[in-house]
Amino acid sequence: MSLPRSFLLPALSALLVLTSLSLPAQQSPSGVISAQQVMQILAGMREDLNQANSRDKQLSLRLDTLEEGVNQFTTEIARLRSLCTELAQQNQALESRMTELQKAMEADQKARREEWQSLTKDLSAMVRSAAPPPVPAPNVPTKELTILAGDTLSSIAKAAKCTVAELMALNPHLKNADELRVGQVLRVPVK
């Protein structure tokens, strides 16, 4: 039986160590170890070496498995970091878009408000221009009448035998037929 070369040097070193030890049970009376004893020791060492190699293979496999797991975790962490970065960018883009939309909405509301004010102003001007011009005060004799509770311009016109327009013409300070107040003095025609 031949031993591999890489095994010979460590085996011889181990043999020298063993021979230098005092092995009373295995030594012959002359103190020399027999070849059979050396072979038994070498067989034991070979068995120990085989077990160590087997444990080394098992540990290597476990180490490879752990390294593979670490690589998977590293890859997953990198993927999650990339996803977080992408989500942060999307969030920033959405916030920017929301700010733009809010500004556009505020500008639109302002424009609508201004347009509403312009339309209201134009409509008021159109209503004023469409209203019939006040009837000039006729050259008729008038008298003063003090407004009492319950009086209306139409009831006063009926009693004075004239129109509301004639009363409005005689009383240019009245801008609206509904402006009558108790105690107010109006000019009414005498017929």
Side-chain angles (χ1 to χ4, degrees):
M1 163 165 116
S2 67
L3 295 173
R5 249 183 129 147
S6 61
F7 184 72
L8 285 178
L9 190 56
L12 288 175
S13 297
L15 189 56
L16 287 174
V17 169
L18 288 176
T19 54
S20 65
L21 295 174
S22 135
L23 302 170
Q26 295 178 353
Q27 288 181 352
S28 63
S30 65
V32 176
I33 298 177
S34 69
Q36 185 181 2
Q37 289 173 331
V38 169
M39 291 306 284
Q40 287 175 346
I41 292 170
L42 285 176
M45 289 173 70
R46 197 174 299 124
E47 182 61 30
D48 289 344
L49 184 62
N50 286 338
Q51 288 177 359
N53 283 338
S54 175
R55 272 189 246 132
D56 183 48
K57 285 180 185 176
Q58 289 173 353
L59 289 174
S60 291
L61 285 174
R62 286 181 64 193
L63 182 62
D64 289 345
T65 302
L66 289 173
E67 285 177 352
E68 184 178 324
V70 167
N71 289 339
Q72 288 175 350
F73 282 133
T74 303
T75 302
E76 185 64 14
I77 288 171
R79 187 185 71 79
L80 290 173
R81 280 186 180 149
S82 173
L83 183 61
C84 285
T85 301
E86 182 180 331
L87 288 173
Q89 290 171 347
Q90 288 177 357
N91 187 39
Q92 187 177 13
L94 286 173
E95 286 179 358
S96 176
R97 181 67 178 139
M98 282 178 54
T99 302
E100 290 173 10
L101 287 173
Q102 186 174 8
K103 286 179 182 177
M105 190 171 74
E106 289 170 358
D108 185 54
Q109 287 175 344
K110 182 180 178 185
R112 286 175 186 256
R113 214 174 302 119
E114 290 171 355
E115 185 178 349
W116 175 256
Q117 289 171 348
S118 175
L119 286 173
T120 304
K121 190 176 179 181
D122 291 347
L123 185 59
S124 295
M126 286 173 27
V127 166
R128 277 193 302 272
S129 67
V135 177
N139 293 329
V140 294
T142 61
K143 68 177 182 176
E144 289 186 350
L145 174 73
T146 303
I147 304 296
L148 302 174
D151 282 345
T152 63
L153 210 52
S154 60
S155 67
I156 295 170
K158 187 175 184 182
K161 297 179 184 168
C162 67
T163 65
V164 172
E166 289 173 323
L167 284 177
M168 295 286 287
L170 287 172
N171 297 284
H173 62 279
L174 286 179
K175 304 291 182 204
N176 187 338
D178 298 325
E179 284 183 2
L180 294 181
R181 295 183 315 271
V182 173
Q184 186 177 13
V185 177
L186 294 181
R187 289 178 40 203
V188 292
V190 176
K191 294 191 180 183

